[in-house]
């Protein structure tokens, strides 16, 4: 026989189920709104990132072209895994080689140093800083690449380049200079050259800058 005492309990459960269904619908709608909001934010975020990277790539490619090489910067997307987004840099230093992804292996130390410095210079268009400090960027470069990077630094000093301090124990002879380039020599220690030698060296640098 039917236990009449079960009917009120069943009615309460029906009410609770309706309330749960309503709550599920509300939460589902809320989730859909949040997903749509996230899609819009992501789309805008990717657009802004791509705009910045496009500008960086234009300067990066132009700088590599001046060196007689090929370089490209682009965004690698990874769906909703934002931690997996990355910037890919592909370069080629020889006509016979197709551009390849810049990684730890496959390129010489000098080529990696050149690529890194060119990327930092290209970033200046979208990352405005009052000054930069570069410590021995010529480390690992051969003379040809070191000269190319220095020429690029001198070239950018006439455009948007902020103050750049290059710390180095040596510079190649007969490098190009302009009115924006200043050389500071730390003249200290018991084995330094005498004042006459220093004056002669500075006079030679001044003549090269003209």
């Amino acid at each position: 026989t039917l236990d009449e005492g079960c009917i009120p309990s069943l009615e309460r459960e029906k009410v609770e189920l309706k309330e749960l269904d309503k709550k599920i619908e509300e939460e589902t709608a809320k989730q859909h709104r949040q997903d749509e909001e996230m899609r819009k934010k992501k789309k805008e975020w990717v657009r802004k990132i791509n705009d910045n990277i496009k500008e960086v790539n234009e300067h990066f490619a132009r700088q590599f072209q001046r060196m007689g090489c090929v370089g490209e910067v682009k965004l690698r997307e990874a769906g909703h895994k934002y931690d997996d987004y990355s910037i890919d840099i592909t370069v080629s230093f020889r006509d016979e080689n197709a551009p390849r992804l810049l990684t730890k292996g496959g390129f010489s130390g000098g080529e990696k140093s050149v690529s890194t410095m060119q990327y930092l210079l290209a970033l200046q268009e979208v990352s405005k800083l009052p000054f930069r400090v570069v410590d021995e960027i010529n480390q690992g470069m051969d003379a040809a690449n070191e000269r190319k990077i220095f020429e690029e630094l001198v070239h950018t000093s006439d455009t948007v380049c902020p103050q750049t301090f290059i710390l180095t124990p040596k510079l190649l002879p007969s490098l190009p200079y302009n009115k924006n380039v200043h050389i500071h020599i730390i003249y200290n220690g018991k084995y330094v050259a005498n004042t006459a030698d220093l004056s002669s060296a500075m006079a030679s640098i001044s003549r090269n800058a003209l």
Side-chain angles (χ1 to χ4, degrees):
T1 60
L2 180 64
D3 185 357
E4 294 184 358
C6 293
I7 296 177
S9 177
L10 180 61
E11 293 297 329
R12 285 195 302 271
E13 290 182 1
K14 286 171 65 177
V15 171
E16 290 176 0
L17 282 172
K18 284 184 178 181
E19 291 176 350
L20 287 173
D21 286 340
K22 183 180 178 181
K23 187 172 182 181
I24 289 173
E25 289 178 4
E26 291 173 349
E27 292 297 323
T28 300
K30 181 180 177 181
Q31 183 65 50
H32 287 161
R33 289 194 300 271
Q34 290 175 340
D35 288 344
E36 182 61 25
E37 185 178 354
M38 285 298 297
R39 277 192 291 270
K40 290 179 180 178
K41 287 184 176 181
K42 180 197 169 187
K43 184 178 180 180
E44 180 65 12
W45 177 77
V46 171
R47 184 192 65 77
K48 289 182 178 179
I49 292 292
N50 272 320
D51 286 347
N52 286 336
I53 291 177
K54 181 181 178 182
E55 187 174 357
V56 170
N57 178 59
E58 288 174 357
H59 293 279
F60 186 79
R62 193 179 306 124
Q63 290 162 198
F64 260 73
Q65 189 177 29
R66 281 196 288 266
M67 294 171 50
C69 305
V70 177
E72 182 183 19
V73 179
K74 57 185 177 182
L75 176 68
R76 179 190 293 181
E77 298 188 34
H80 292 296
K81 297 181 179 180
Y82 292 95
D83 289 346
D84 292 337
Y85 276 69
S86 63
I87 291 176
D88 285 347
I89 299 175
T90 55
V91 295
S92 172
F93 289 88
R94 297 166 188 82
D95 291 338
E96 63 271 18
N97 294 339
R100 291 181 292 128
L101 186 66
L102 186 66
T103 58
K104 292 181 180 179
F107 293 92
S108 69
E111 289 170 341
K112 286 184 285 189
S113 294
V114 167
S115 301
T116 300
M117 192 62 193
Q118 293 285 35
Y119 179 65
L120 291 174
L121 289 173
L123 277 178
Q124 292 172 168
E125 296 296 329
V126 296
S127 177
K128 307 297 184 183
L129 296 173
F131 67 89
R132 286 183 169 87
V133 179
V134 182
D135 185 15
E136 295 192 46
I137 187 61
N138 51 0
Q139 195 74 356
M141 291 186 194
D142 58 24
N145 283 328
E146 182 179 346
R147 187 173 297 278
K148 289 175 181 177
I149 287 299
F150 194 86
E151 288 173 351
E152 192 62 43
L153 277 166
V154 173
H155 175 81
T156 57
S157 71
D158 276 331
T159 55
V160 296
C161 183
Q163 273 192 305
T164 302
F165 296 89
I166 301 176
L167 310 179
T168 178
K170 66 178 180 66
L171 286 172
L172 291 174
S174 303
L175 288 172
Y177 301 96
N178 62 23
K179 59 182 176 58
N180 298 315
V181 178
H182 302 275
I183 297 176
H184 301 274
I185 298 176
I186 301 175
Y187 191 58
N188 193 18
K190 62 182 294 187
Y191 297 110
V192 296
N194 61 46
T195 304
D197 291 338
L198 179 62
S199 298
S200 175
M202 294 304 295
S204 175
I205 290 172
S206 297
R207 286 194 297 274
N208 289 332
L210 297 177

